[in-house]
Amino acid sequence: MPSMSMPTSHSSQGAAAAPVTGNAVAIKNFAFSPATLKVKVGTTVTWTNQDTDAHTVTSAGTGGPLHSAALATHATYRYTFTKPGTYAYLCTIHPFMTATVEVT
């Protein structure tokens, strides 16, 4: 009997890097998840720290709108995006932690 090839589904590891829509960002394992969030103008995004270490949500460069205090475990920070654009941000305590919000 000829063998039949059955389609298999593979989870794509690269999917994590693709832009995600929604309004929540998890801070866990010293990373912002998703790394790129797509939202519409007027969306309030909530960041929640799920790590035991404190983290910040701070605009990269100068003059950006994101300026959280240090977030303890389970603390949240919210910001409502009122203008379209690409907003890069980082954790000032751990500058290797970077992410982006794309607002349309």
Side-chain angles (χ1 to χ4, degrees), residues 24-42:
V25 177
I27 306 170
K28 60 184 177 182
N29 301 320
F30 289 85
F32 296 104
S33 180
T36 302
L37 181 68
K38 286 188 171 228
V39 300
K40 301 276 187 207
V41 168

Side-chain angles (χ1 to χ4, degrees), residues 24-28 32 45-57 68-78:
V25 177
I27 306 170
K28 60 184 177 182
F32 296 104
V45 175
T46 302
W47 288 261
T48 303
N49 184 8
Q50 298 175 6
D51 277 340
T52 55
D53 287 45
H55 297 292
T56 70
V57 177
S68 78
L71 302 175
T73 304
H74 304 300
T76 60
Y77 173 69
R78 290 177 179 83

Side-chain angles (χ1 to χ4, degrees), residues 85-104:
T86 300
Y87 297 83
Y89 64 94
L90 54 86
C91 170
T92 56
I93 302 167
H94 310 99
F96 60 88
M97 295 174 54
T98 62
T100 305
V101 178
E102 296 177 1
V103 183
T104 56

